[in-house]
PDB file of all heavy atoms in Angstrom:
ATOM      1  N   TYR A  15      42.344 138.715  90.238  1.00  0.00           N
ATOM      2  CA  TYR A  15      43.191 138.098  91.267  1.00  0.00           C
ATOM      3  C   TYR A  15      43.003 138.899  92.516  1.00  0.00           C
ATOM      4  O   TYR A  15      42.967 140.182  92.535  1.00  0.00           O
ATOM      5  CB  TYR A  15      44.679 138.121  90.893  1.00  0.00           C
ATOM      6  CG  TYR A  15      44.904 137.373  89.647  1.00  0.00           C
ATOM      7  CD1 TYR A  15      44.757 137.871  88.384  1.00  0.00           C
ATOM      8  CD2 TYR A  15      45.302 136.018  89.782  1.00  0.00           C
ATOM      9  CE1 TYR A  15      44.965 137.177  87.252  1.00  0.00           C
ATOM     10  CE2 TYR A  15      45.525 135.214  88.645  1.00  0.00           C
ATOM     11  CZ  TYR A  15      45.331 135.878  87.318  1.00  0.00           C
ATOM     12  OH  TYR A  15      45.586 135.126  86.297  1.00  0.00           O
ATOM     13  N   ALA A  16      42.903 138.115  93.558  1.00  0.00           N
ATOM     14  CA  ALA A  16      42.790 138.782  94.946  1.00  0.00           C
ATOM     15  C   ALA A  16      44.236 139.152  95.368  1.00  0.00           C
ATOM     16  O   ALA A  16      45.230 138.470  95.020  1.00  0.00           O
ATOM     17  CB  ALA A  16      42.251 137.826  95.976  1.00  0.00           C
ATOM     18  N   ILE A  17      44.378 140.309  95.921  1.00  0.00           N
ATOM     19  CA  ILE A  17      45.648 140.797  96.338  1.00  0.00           C
ATOM     20  C   ILE A  17      45.664 141.120  97.935  1.00  0.00           C
ATOM     21  O   ILE A  17      44.614 141.078  98.518  1.00  0.00           O
ATOM     22  CB  ILE A  17      46.210 141.965  95.616  1.00  0.00           C
ATOM     23  CG1 ILE A  17      45.361 143.181  95.621  1.00  0.00           C
ATOM     24  CG2 ILE A  17      46.428 141.551  94.151  1.00  0.00           C
ATOM     25  CD1 ILE A  17      45.956 144.351  94.882  1.00  0.00           C
ATOM     26  N   SER A  18      46.679 141.609  98.489  1.00  0.00           N
ATOM     27  CA  SER A  18      46.788 141.822  99.848  1.00  0.00           C
ATOM     28  C   SER A  18      45.753 142.832 100.314  1.00  0.00           C
ATOM     29  O   SER A  18      45.483 143.747  99.710  1.00  0.00           O
ATOM     30  CB  SER A  18      48.252 142.386 100.145  1.00  0.00           C
ATOM     31  OG  SER A  18      48.268 142.864 101.512  1.00  0.00           O
ATOM     32  N   VAL A  19      45.225 142.455 101.484  1.00  0.00           N
ATOM     33  CA  VAL A  19      44.172 143.294 102.136  1.00  0.00           C
ATOM     34  C   VAL A  19      44.773 144.700 102.621  1.00  0.00           C
ATOM     35  O   VAL A  19      44.113 145.629 102.872  1.00  0.00           O
ATOM     36  CB  VAL A  19      43.519 142.675 103.312  1.00  0.00           C
ATOM     37  CG1 VAL A  19      42.672 141.442 102.815  1.00  0.00           C
ATOM     38  CG2 VAL A  19      44.421 142.242 104.365  1.00  0.00           C
ATOM     39  N   GLU A  20      46.101 144.707 102.731  1.00  0.00           N
ATOM     40  CA  GLU A  20      46.774 146.015 102.982  1.00  0.00           C
ATOM     41  C   GLU A  20      46.749 146.983 101.876  1.00  0.00           C
ATOM     42  O   GLU A  20      46.835 148.235 102.110  1.00  0.00           O
ATOM     43  CB  GLU A  20      48.172 145.775 103.381  1.00  0.00           C
ATOM     44  CG  GLU A  20      48.381 144.977 104.653  1.00  0.00           C
ATOM     45  CD  GLU A  20      49.892 144.847 105.063  1.00  0.00           C
ATOM     46  OE1 GLU A  20      50.725 145.067 104.171  1.00  0.00           O
ATOM     47  OE2 GLU A  20      50.138 144.466 106.098  1.00  0.00           O
ATOM     48  N   ALA A  21      46.592 146.676 100.679  1.00  0.00           N
ATOM     49  CA  ALA A  21      46.553 147.439  99.470  1.00  0.00           C
ATOM     50  C   ALA A  21      45.389 148.426  99.467  1.00  0.00           C
ATOM     51  O   ALA A  21      44.223 147.951  99.489  1.00  0.00           O
ATOM     52  CB  ALA A  21      46.575 146.643  98.256  1.00  0.00           C
ATOM     53  N   LYS A  22      45.568 149.695  99.465  1.00  0.00           N
ATOM     54  CA  LYS A  22      44.619 150.702  99.468  1.00  0.00           C
ATOM     55  C   LYS A  22      44.537 151.440  98.131  1.00  0.00           C
ATOM     56  O   LYS A  22      43.566 151.961  97.769  1.00  0.00           O
ATOM     57  CB  LYS A  22      44.715 151.703 100.553  1.00  0.00           C
ATOM     58  CG  LYS A  22      44.750 151.003 101.848  1.00  0.00           C
ATOM     59  CD  LYS A  22      43.440 150.341 102.198  1.00  0.00           C
ATOM     60  CE  LYS A  22      43.516 149.645 103.574  1.00  0.00           C
ATOM     61  NZ  LYS A  22      42.679 148.482 103.721  1.00  0.00           N
ATOM     62  N   LYS A  23      45.760 151.508  97.435  1.00  0.00           N
ATOM     63  CA  LYS A  23      45.881 152.121  96.111  1.00  0.00           C
ATOM     64  C   LYS A  23      47.048 151.524  95.413  1.00  0.00           C
ATOM     65  O   LYS A  23      48.066 151.477  95.999  1.00  0.00           O
ATOM     66  CB  LYS A  23      46.015 153.658  96.247  1.00  0.00           C
ATOM     67  CG  LYS A  23      46.167 154.276  95.032  1.00  0.00           C
ATOM     68  CD  LYS A  23      46.384 155.865  95.139  1.00  0.00           C
ATOM     69  CE  LYS A  23      46.527 156.497  93.847  1.00  0.00           C
ATOM     70  NZ  LYS A  23      46.984 157.882  93.916  1.00  0.00           N
ATOM     71  N   ILE A  24      46.830 151.184  94.125  1.00  0.00           N
ATOM     72  CA  ILE A  24      47.967 150.678  93.277  1.00  0.00           C
ATOM     73  C   ILE A  24      48.866 151.797  92.805  1.00  0.00           C
ATOM     74  O   ILE A  24      48.375 152.737  92.198  1.00  0.00           O
ATOM     75  CB  ILE A  24      47.463 149.834  92.174  1.00  0.00           C
ATOM     76  CG1 ILE A  24      46.626 148.553  92.686  1.00  0.00           C
ATOM     77  CG2 ILE A  24      48.559 149.292  91.243  1.00  0.00           C
ATOM     78  CD1 ILE A  24      47.400 147.534  93.370  1.00  0.00           C
ATOM     79  N   ILE A  25      50.055 151.651  92.980  1.00  0.00           N
ATOM     80  CA  ILE A  25      51.077 152.596  92.656  1.00  0.00           C
ATOM     81  C   ILE A  25      51.601 152.164  91.223  1.00  0.00           C
ATOM     82  O   ILE A  25      51.606 153.000  90.273  1.00  0.00           O
ATOM     83  CB  ILE A  25      52.251 152.793  93.521  1.00  0.00           C
ATOM     84  CG1 ILE A  25      51.724 153.287  94.873  1.00  0.00           C
ATOM     85  CG2 ILE A  25      53.286 153.745  92.925  1.00  0.00           C
ATOM     86  CD1 ILE A  25      52.830 153.218  95.959  1.00  0.00           C
ATOM     87  N   ALA A  26      51.871 150.899  90.995  1.00  0.00           N
ATOM     88  CA  ALA A  26      52.392 150.374  89.756  1.00  0.00           C
ATOM     89  C   ALA A  26      52.168 148.946  89.743  1.00  0.00           C
ATOM     90  O   ALA A  26      52.261 148.198  90.736  1.00  0.00           O
ATOM     91  CB  ALA A  26      53.889 150.710  89.516  1.00  0.00           C
ATOM     92  N   VAL A  27      51.986 148.324  88.529  1.00  0.00           N
ATOM     93  CA  VAL A  27      52.106 146.906  88.228  1.00  0.00           C
ATOM     94  C   VAL A  27      53.083 146.654  87.116  1.00  0.00           C
ATOM     95  O   VAL A  27      53.006 147.184  86.054  1.00  0.00           O
ATOM     96  CB  VAL A  27      50.676 146.381  87.738  1.00  0.00           C
ATOM     97  CG1 VAL A  27      50.694 144.918  87.473  1.00  0.00           C
ATOM     98  CG2 VAL A  27      49.605 146.705  88.839  1.00  0.00           C
ATOM     99  N   LEU A  28      54.144 145.890  87.528  1.00  0.00           N
ATOM    100  CA  LEU A  28      55.216 145.713  86.657  1.00  0.00           C
ATOM    101  C   LEU A  28      55.175 144.185  86.106  1.00  0.00           C
ATOM    102  O   LEU A  28      55.153 143.211  86.900  1.00  0.00           O
ATOM    103  CB  LEU A  28      56.578 145.852  87.388  1.00  0.00           C
ATOM    104  CG  LEU A  28      57.824 145.563  86.629  1.00  0.00           C
ATOM    105  CD1 LEU A  28      58.015 146.524  85.392  1.00  0.00           C
ATOM    106  CD2 LEU A  28      59.063 145.743  87.570  1.00  0.00           C
ATOM    107  N   ASP A  29      55.130 144.180  84.817  1.00  0.00           N
ATOM    108  CA  ASP A  29      55.221 142.788  84.085  1.00  0.00           C
ATOM    109  C   ASP A  29      56.876 142.452  84.092  1.00  0.00           C
ATOM    110  O   ASP A  29      57.527 143.010  83.425  1.00  0.00           O
ATOM    111  CB  ASP A  29      54.693 142.873  82.692  1.00  0.00           C
ATOM    112  CG  ASP A  29      54.650 141.586  82.031  1.00  0.00           C
ATOM    113  OD1 ASP A  29      55.552 140.679  82.356  1.00  0.00           O
ATOM    114  OD2 ASP A  29      53.859 141.434  81.061  1.00  0.00           O
ATOM    115  N   LEU A  30      57.156 141.339  84.833  1.00  0.00           N
ATOM    116  CA  LEU A  30      58.558 140.994  84.981  1.00  0.00           C
ATOM    117  C   LEU A  30      59.078 140.358  83.710  1.00  0.00           C
ATOM    118  O   LEU A  30      60.307 140.577  83.471  1.00  0.00           O
ATOM    119  CB  LEU A  30      58.665 140.103  86.090  1.00  0.00           C
ATOM    120  CG  LEU A  30      58.395 140.591  87.572  1.00  0.00           C
ATOM    121  CD1 LEU A  30      58.443 139.572  88.670  1.00  0.00           C
ATOM    122  CD2 LEU A  30      59.332 141.918  87.842  1.00  0.00           C
ATOM    123  N   GLU A  31      58.240 139.738  82.882  1.00  0.00           N
ATOM    124  CA  GLU A  31      58.727 139.085  81.776  1.00  0.00           C
ATOM    125  C   GLU A  31      59.098 140.144  80.682  1.00  0.00           C
ATOM    126  O   GLU A  31      60.111 140.067  80.030  1.00  0.00           O
ATOM    127  CB  GLU A  31      57.647 138.168  81.136  1.00  0.00           C
ATOM    128  CG  GLU A  31      58.148 137.328  79.989  1.00  0.00           C
ATOM    129  CD  GLU A  31      57.097 136.251  79.652  1.00  0.00           C
ATOM    130  OE1 GLU A  31      56.421 135.736  80.541  1.00  0.00           O
ATOM    131  OE2 GLU A  31      56.925 136.044  78.410  1.00  0.00           O
ATOM    132  N   ASP A  32      58.278 141.100  80.500  1.00  0.00           N
ATOM    133  CA  ASP A  32      58.527 142.235  79.487  1.00  0.00           C
ATOM    134  C   ASP A  32      59.215 143.480  80.060  1.00  0.00           C
ATOM    135  O   ASP A  32      59.559 144.344  79.395  1.00  0.00           O
ATOM    136  CB  ASP A  32      57.222 142.619  78.844  1.00  0.00           C
ATOM    137  CG  ASP A  32      56.572 141.619  78.032  1.00  0.00           C
ATOM    138  OD1 ASP A  32      57.386 140.621  77.653  1.00  0.00           O
ATOM    139  OD2 ASP A  32      55.395 141.678  77.677  1.00  0.00           O
ATOM    140  N   ASN A  33      59.271 143.455  81.452  1.00  0.00           N
ATOM    141  CA  ASN A  33      59.880 144.584  82.244  1.00  0.00           C
ATOM    142  C   ASN A  33      59.163 145.939  81.812  1.00  0.00           C
ATOM    143  O   ASN A  33      59.756 146.898  81.439  1.00  0.00           O
ATOM    144  CB  ASN A  33      61.477 144.779  81.885  1.00  0.00           C
ATOM    145  CG  ASN A  33      62.117 145.760  82.932  1.00  0.00           C
ATOM    146  OD1 ASN A  33      61.485 145.844  84.051  1.00  0.00           O
ATOM    147  ND2 ASN A  33      63.117 146.316  82.627  1.00  0.00           N
ATOM    148  N   ALA A  34      57.857 145.812  81.772  1.00  0.00           N
ATOM    149  CA  ALA A  34      56.953 146.963  81.373  1.00  0.00           C
ATOM    150  C   ALA A  34      55.847 147.165  82.359  1.00  0.00           C
ATOM    151  O   ALA A  34      55.385 146.167  82.967  1.00  0.00           O
ATOM    152  CB  ALA A  34      56.382 146.672  79.963  1.00  0.00           C
ATOM    153  N   TYR A  35      55.476 148.456  82.507  1.00  0.00           N
ATOM    154  CA  TYR A  35      54.324 148.736  83.502  1.00  0.00           C
ATOM    155  C   TYR A  35      53.070 148.594  82.768  1.00  0.00           C
ATOM    156  O   TYR A  35      53.013 149.265  81.636  1.00  0.00           O
ATOM    157  CB  TYR A  35      54.678 150.154  84.087  1.00  0.00           C
ATOM    158  CG  TYR A  35      55.757 150.104  85.181  1.00  0.00           C
ATOM    159  CD1 TYR A  35      57.033 150.516  84.765  1.00  0.00           C
ATOM    160  CD2 TYR A  35      55.576 149.688  86.434  1.00  0.00           C
ATOM    161  CE1 TYR A  35      58.117 150.559  85.759  1.00  0.00           C
ATOM    162  CE2 TYR A  35      56.581 149.713  87.303  1.00  0.00           C
ATOM    163  CZ  TYR A  35      57.896 150.105  86.921  1.00  0.00           C
ATOM    164  OH  TYR A  35      58.973 150.163  87.849  1.00  0.00           O
ATOM    165  N   LEU A  36      52.052 148.133  83.434  1.00  0.00           N
ATOM    166  CA  LEU A  36      50.666 148.183  82.956  1.00  0.00           C
ATOM    167  C   LEU A  36      50.046 149.549  83.178  1.00  0.00           C
ATOM    168  O   LEU A  36      50.429 150.248  84.199  1.00  0.00           O
ATOM    169  CB  LEU A  36      49.916 147.117  83.583  1.00  0.00           C
ATOM    170  CG  LEU A  36      50.001 145.654  82.982  1.00  0.00           C
ATOM    171  CD1 LEU A  36      51.379 145.160  83.067  1.00  0.00           C
ATOM    172  CD2 LEU A  36      49.042 144.733  83.690  1.00  0.00           C
ATOM    173  N   ARG A  37      49.075 149.906  82.325  1.00  0.00           N
ATOM    174  CA  ARG A  37      48.384 151.166  82.553  1.00  0.00           C
ATOM    175  C   ARG A  37      47.130 150.934  83.446  1.00  0.00           C
ATOM    176  O   ARG A  37      46.494 149.983  83.298  1.00  0.00           O
ATOM    177  CB  ARG A  37      47.963 151.733  81.264  1.00  0.00           C
ATOM    178  CG  ARG A  37      48.928 152.350  80.339  1.00  0.00           C
ATOM    179  CD  ARG A  37      48.278 152.919  79.105  1.00  0.00           C
ATOM    180  NE  ARG A  37      47.231 152.171  78.463  1.00  0.00           N
ATOM    181  CZ  ARG A  37      47.435 151.349  77.482  1.00  0.00           C
ATOM    182  NH1 ARG A  37      48.727 151.306  76.974  1.00  0.00           N
ATOM    183  NH2 ARG A  37      46.541 150.612  76.894  1.00  0.00           N
ATOM    184  N   SER A  38      46.802 151.898  84.306  1.00  0.00           N
ATOM    185  CA  SER A  38      45.648 151.857  85.040  1.00  0.00           C
ATOM    186  C   SER A  38      44.429 152.229  84.146  1.00  0.00           C
ATOM    187  O   SER A  38      44.560 153.177  83.278  1.00  0.00           O
ATOM    188  CB  SER A  38      45.646 152.796  86.243  1.00  0.00           C
ATOM    189  OG  SER A  38      44.558 152.837  86.928  1.00  0.00           O
ATOM    190  N   GLU A  39      43.380 151.610  84.296  1.00  0.00           N
ATOM    191  CA  GLU A  39      42.158 151.896  83.556  1.00  0.00           C
ATOM    192  C   GLU A  39      40.895 151.697  84.432  1.00  0.00           C
ATOM    193  O   GLU A  39      40.895 151.064  85.513  1.00  0.00           O
ATOM    194  CB  GLU A  39      42.094 150.859  82.337  1.00  0.00           C
ATOM    195  CG  GLU A  39      41.052 151.190  81.356  1.00  0.00           C
ATOM    196  CD  GLU A  39      41.187 152.567  80.776  1.00  0.00           C
ATOM    197  OE1 GLU A  39      41.908 152.861  79.726  1.00  0.00           O
ATOM    198  OE2 GLU A  39      40.453 153.484  81.243  1.00  0.00           O
ATOM    199  N   THR A  40      39.838 152.342  83.893  1.00  0.00           N
ATOM    200  CA  THR A  40      38.574 152.279  84.710  1.00  0.00           C
ATOM    201  C   THR A  40      37.955 150.891  84.467  1.00  0.00           C
ATOM    202  O   THR A  40      38.149 150.319  83.350  1.00  0.00           O
ATOM    203  CB  THR A  40      37.518 153.442  84.347  1.00  0.00           C
ATOM    204  OG1 THR A  40      37.140 153.240  82.968  1.00  0.00           O
ATOM    205  CG2 THR A  40      38.146 154.766  84.644  1.00  0.00           C
ATOM    206  N   LEU A  41      37.115 150.409  85.285  1.00  0.00           N
ATOM    207  CA  LEU A  41      36.363 149.079  85.162  1.00  0.00           C
ATOM    208  C   LEU A  41      35.511 149.249  83.983  1.00  0.00           C
ATOM    209  O   LEU A  41      35.403 148.266  83.190  1.00  0.00           O
ATOM    210  CB  LEU A  41      35.559 148.791  86.360  1.00  0.00           C
ATOM    211  CG  LEU A  41      34.784 147.507  86.349  1.00  0.00           C
ATOM    212  CD1 LEU A  41      35.759 146.327  85.961  1.00  0.00           C
ATOM    213  CD2 LEU A  41      34.060 147.282  87.583  1.00  0.00           C
ATOM    214  N   GLU A  42      34.777 150.385  83.816  1.00  0.00           N
ATOM    215  CA  GLU A  42      33.739 150.563  82.717  1.00  0.00           C
ATOM    216  C   GLU A  42      34.544 150.373  81.312  1.00  0.00           C
ATOM    217  O   GLU A  42      34.094 149.617  80.454  1.00  0.00           O
ATOM    218  CB  GLU A  42      33.178 151.965  82.727  1.00  0.00           C
ATOM    219  CG  GLU A  42      32.264 152.077  83.879  1.00  0.00           C
ATOM    220  CD  GLU A  42      32.922 152.386  85.219  1.00  0.00           C
ATOM    221  OE1 GLU A  42      34.058 152.726  85.156  1.00  0.00           O
ATOM    222  OE2 GLU A  42      32.341 152.134  86.234  1.00  0.00           O
ATOM    223  N   ARG A  43      35.732 150.955  81.068  1.00  0.00           N
ATOM    224  CA  ARG A  43      36.528 150.862  79.900  1.00  0.00           C
ATOM    225  C   ARG A  43      36.963 149.414  79.639  1.00  0.00           C
ATOM    226  O   ARG A  43      36.957 149.012  78.488  1.00  0.00           O
ATOM    227  CB  ARG A  43      37.513 151.816  79.811  1.00  0.00           C
ATOM    228  CG  ARG A  43      36.915 153.204  79.727  1.00  0.00           C
ATOM    229  CD  ARG A  43      38.067 154.392  79.374  1.00  0.00           C
ATOM    230  NE  ARG A  43      38.900 154.013  78.366  1.00  0.00           N
ATOM    231  CZ  ARG A  43      38.805 154.461  77.169  1.00  0.00           C
ATOM    232  NH1 ARG A  43      38.022 155.377  76.771  1.00  0.00           N
ATOM    233  NH2 ARG A  43      39.747 154.083  76.181  1.00  0.00           N
ATOM    234  N   ILE A  44      37.380 148.798  80.745  1.00  0.00           N
ATOM    235  CA  ILE A  44      37.861 147.363  80.532  1.00  0.00           C
ATOM    236  C   ILE A  44      36.661 146.426  80.212  1.00  0.00           C
ATOM    237  O   ILE A  44      36.706 145.657  79.315  1.00  0.00           O
ATOM    238  CB  ILE A  44      38.556 146.900  81.807  1.00  0.00           C
ATOM    239  CG1 ILE A  44      39.866 147.524  81.899  1.00  0.00           C
ATOM    240  CG2 ILE A  44      38.622 145.433  81.829  1.00  0.00           C
ATOM    241  CD1 ILE A  44      40.710 147.164  83.090  1.00  0.00           C
ATOM    242  N   LEU A  45      35.498 146.728  80.789  1.00  0.00           N
ATOM    243  CA  LEU A  45      34.340 145.897  80.418  1.00  0.00           C
ATOM    244  C   LEU A  45      33.906 146.147  78.992  1.00  0.00           C
ATOM    245  O   LEU A  45      33.466 145.164  78.313  1.00  0.00           O
ATOM    246  CB  LEU A  45      33.157 146.166  81.411  1.00  0.00           C
ATOM    247  CG  LEU A  45      33.446 145.701  82.874  1.00  0.00           C
ATOM    248  CD1 LEU A  45      32.256 146.102  83.741  1.00  0.00           C
ATOM    249  CD2 LEU A  45      33.606 144.199  82.869  1.00  0.00           C
ATOM    250  N   VAL A  46      34.009 147.293  78.535  1.00  0.00           N
ATOM    251  CA  VAL A  46      33.649 147.642  77.074  1.00  0.00           C
ATOM    252  C   VAL A  46      34.603 146.993  76.204  1.00  0.00           C
ATOM    253  O   VAL A  46      34.180 146.313  75.226  1.00  0.00           O
ATOM    254  CB  VAL A  46      33.468 149.221  76.822  1.00  0.00           C
ATOM    255  CG1 VAL A  46      33.520 149.547  75.359  1.00  0.00           C
ATOM    256  CG2 VAL A  46      32.405 149.821  77.568  1.00  0.00           C
ATOM    257  N   LYS A  47      35.835 147.140  76.450  1.00  0.00           N
ATOM    258  CA  LYS A  47      36.833 146.436  75.630  1.00  0.00           C
ATOM    259  C   LYS A  47      36.697 144.984  75.626  1.00  0.00           C
ATOM    260  O   LYS A  47      36.824 144.231  74.641  1.00  0.00           O
ATOM    261  CB  LYS A  47      38.263 146.811  76.113  1.00  0.00           C
ATOM    262  CG  LYS A  47      38.596 148.371  75.832  1.00  0.00           C
ATOM    263  CD  LYS A  47      39.955 148.549  76.468  1.00  0.00           C
ATOM    264  CE  LYS A  47      40.342 150.011  76.343  1.00  0.00           C
ATOM    265  NZ  LYS A  47      41.608 150.308  77.023  1.00  0.00           N
ATOM    266  N   SER A  48      36.474 144.366  76.786  1.00  0.00           N
ATOM    267  CA  SER A  48      36.360 142.835  76.911  1.00  0.00           C
ATOM    268  C   SER A  48      35.004 142.386  76.225  1.00  0.00           C
ATOM    269  O   SER A  48      35.022 141.214  75.755  1.00  0.00           O
ATOM    270  CB  SER A  48      36.445 142.413  78.314  1.00  0.00           C
ATOM    271  OG  SER A  48      35.494 142.884  79.087  1.00  0.00           O
ATOM    272  N   ASN A  49      34.005 143.227  76.108  1.00  0.00           N
ATOM    273  CA  ASN A  49      32.804 142.799  75.358  1.00  0.00           C
ATOM    274  C   ASN A  49      32.980 142.912  73.857  1.00  0.00           C
ATOM    275  O   ASN A  49      32.261 142.214  73.206  1.00  0.00           O
ATOM    276  CB  ASN A  49      31.668 143.697  75.790  1.00  0.00           C
ATOM    277  CG  ASN A  49      31.150 143.390  77.198  1.00  0.00           C
ATOM    278  OD1 ASN A  49      31.264 142.231  77.646  1.00  0.00           O
ATOM    279  ND2 ASN A  49      30.517 144.271  77.882  1.00  0.00           N
ATOM    280  N   MET A  50      33.858 143.781  73.428  1.00  0.00           N
ATOM    281  CA  MET A  50      34.120 143.941  72.050  1.00  0.00           C
ATOM    282  C   MET A  50      35.036 142.842  71.449  1.00  0.00           C
ATOM    283  O   MET A  50      34.891 142.497  70.230  1.00  0.00           O
ATOM    284  CB  MET A  50      34.779 145.144  71.733  1.00  0.00           C
ATOM    285  CG  MET A  50      33.821 146.468  71.989  1.00  0.00           C
ATOM    286  SD  MET A  50      34.491 148.047  71.504  1.00  0.00           S
ATOM    287  CE  MET A  50      36.093 147.985  71.985  1.00  0.00           C
ATOM    288  N   THR A  51      35.848 142.165  72.275  1.00  0.00           N
ATOM    289  CA  THR A  51      36.834 141.226  71.779  1.00  0.00           C
ATOM    290  C   THR A  51      36.932 140.069  72.869  1.00  0.00           C
ATOM    291  O   THR A  51      36.554 140.336  74.031  1.00  0.00           O
ATOM    292  CB  THR A  51      38.205 141.827  71.581  1.00  0.00           C
ATOM    293  OG1 THR A  51      38.703 142.288  72.874  1.00  0.00           O
ATOM    294  CG2 THR A  51      38.260 142.841  70.486  1.00  0.00           C
TER     295      THR A  51
END
């Protein structure tokens, strides 16, 4: 998803439905995980 051009660093991403914060991860690890499943 594209987000605001003002964003320079993400502090937190909050899932409003679960009231839980998402973890930050590197692109490499996300790509490896998404290739496995």
Side-chain angles (χ1 to χ4, degrees):
Y15 297 87
I17 61 173
S18 173
V19 294
E20 292 182 348
K22 302 301 177 207
K23 180 182 178 192
I24 298 291
I25 299 168
V27 178
L28 176 64
D29 182 333
L30 296 176
E31 191 172 318
D32 293 341
N33 198 28
Y35 288 98
L36 277 60
R37 285 188 314 267
S38 176
E39 188 58 84
T40 64
L41 180 60
E42 293 78 19
R43 291 191 47 106
I44 286 179
L45 290 176
V46 166
K47 291 176 187 178
S48 60
N49 286 334
M50 293 186 317
T51 62

